[in-house]
Amino acid sequence: MSDNNTFVGSKIKGIRETKNLSIEEVAESSGLSIEQIATIENGQNMPSLGPLIKIARALGVRLGTFMDDNDALGPVVTRAEDREKKDSISFSNGATDARKHMEYHPLAQQKAGRHMEPFVIDINPEESPEFQLSAHEGEEFIYVMQGEVEIVYGKETYNLKEGDSIFYDSIVKHHVHGAPGKSAKILAVVYIPF
């Protein structure tokens, strides 16, 4: 897991350095703190998708650029057994103790030029999740494969069980997490206009 966090962090740092941007410049244009960007680049912390999208925008790249490992132009097939063998990417939930509550399994890392980011996400149980709402351009689709999730969207909270789905504009502040004490597995597709 930490290897993938280091991979994503080093990709961000490499892109930033290639574009001759300082951490301070990326922090200013993304609205994130210098410390947060430094810990991401060093592989110490992987935040939720919202901050990563802000960094991608600040660097002028797609979110998927941080996770790409090849540049396939045609269709990309990800077999279940291959997905399970690959290391996942962990994101913290914004809690003060930075617990890792989600394991992301990217489904299209090899697809070049994509605007959608599909993931299977394992959500670890938490008794009283602490989180920060985030917003970014685009849309998200979530389908609950197993378990139960809560989605805070604006002032509303939606409880979704196995087989339920939700599609929403991600410009509205939101957060996805397991229902208290419950684990879950979801299919999430994030669309980010570029």
Side-chain angles (χ1 to χ4, degrees), residues 1 4 9 23 35 42 52 68 79 93 103 114 119-120 132 141 146-147 158 160 172 177 185 189 194:
M1 285 183 282
N4 272 328
I23 288 181
E35 296 78 20
N42 295 330
L52 286 179
D68 290 347
R79 304 280 181 207
N93 62 1
E103 302 290 329
R114 66 188 179 276
F119 301 96
V120 169
Q132 296 172 357
F141 171 79
Q146 296 173 2
Y158 298 92
L160 301 174
V172 175
H177 52 270
K185 182 184 290 276
V189 181
F194 189 73

Side-chain angles (χ1 to χ4, degrees), residues 172-189:
V172 175
K173 289 195 170 209
H174 61 279
H175 193 273
V176 178
H177 52 270
K182 308 246 180 182
S183 62
K185 182 184 290 276
I186 62 175
L187 170 66
V189 181

Side-chain angles (χ1 to χ4, degrees), residues 92-190:
S92 69
N93 62 1
T96 52
D97 60 0
R99 291 172 294 185
K100 305 298 186 212
H101 84 299
M102 293 180 143
E103 302 290 329
Y104 285 65
H105 305 276
L107 298 177
Q109 284 180 291
Q110 300 87 1
K111 179 67 177 157
R114 66 188 179 276
H115 294 281
M116 294 187 305
E117 294 296 334
F119 301 96
V120 169
I121 304 172
D122 293 316
I123 302 174
N124 300 318
E126 295 182 276
E127 286 306 318
S128 52
E130 295 176 37
F131 53 84
Q132 296 172 357
L133 299 177
S134 67
H136 51 86
E137 290 184 53
E139 301 169 335
E140 294 184 30
F141 171 79
I142 293 172
Y143 175 82
V144 181
M145 298 166 67
Q146 296 173 2
E148 188 175 341
V149 297
E150 282 185 354
I151 298 170
V152 177
Y153 184 76
K155 295 181 180 181
E156 301 291 325
T157 300
Y158 298 92
N159 287 37
L160 301 174
K161 295 183 178 178
E162 188 172 322
D164 294 342
S165 66
I166 187 170
F167 188 109
Y168 54 85
D169 294 315
S170 39
I171 196 73
V172 175
K173 289 195 170 209
H174 61 279
H175 193 273
V176 178
H177 52 270
K182 308 246 180 182
S183 62
K185 182 184 290 276
I186 62 175
L187 170 66
V189 181
V190 179

Side-chain angles (χ1 to χ4, degrees), residues 2-27 30 32-47 52 55-56 58-59 66:
S2 60
D3 286 347
N4 272 328
N5 290 355
T6 303
F7 175 78
V8 172
S10 66
K11 280 276 249 198
I12 291 170
K13 184 176 183 179
I15 294 165
R16 178 180 60 75
E17 290 175 346
T18 299
K19 293 180 176 272
N20 293 318
L21 294 171
S22 67
I23 288 181
E24 292 79 8
E25 289 171 313
V26 174
S30 67
L32 302 173
S33 72
I34 293 167
E35 296 78 20
Q36 187 174 17
I37 292 171
T39 60
I40 292 167
E41 285 189 359
N42 295 330
Q44 297 168 338
N45 182 35
M46 199 52 55
L52 286 179
I55 293 171
L59 294 174
F66 301 152

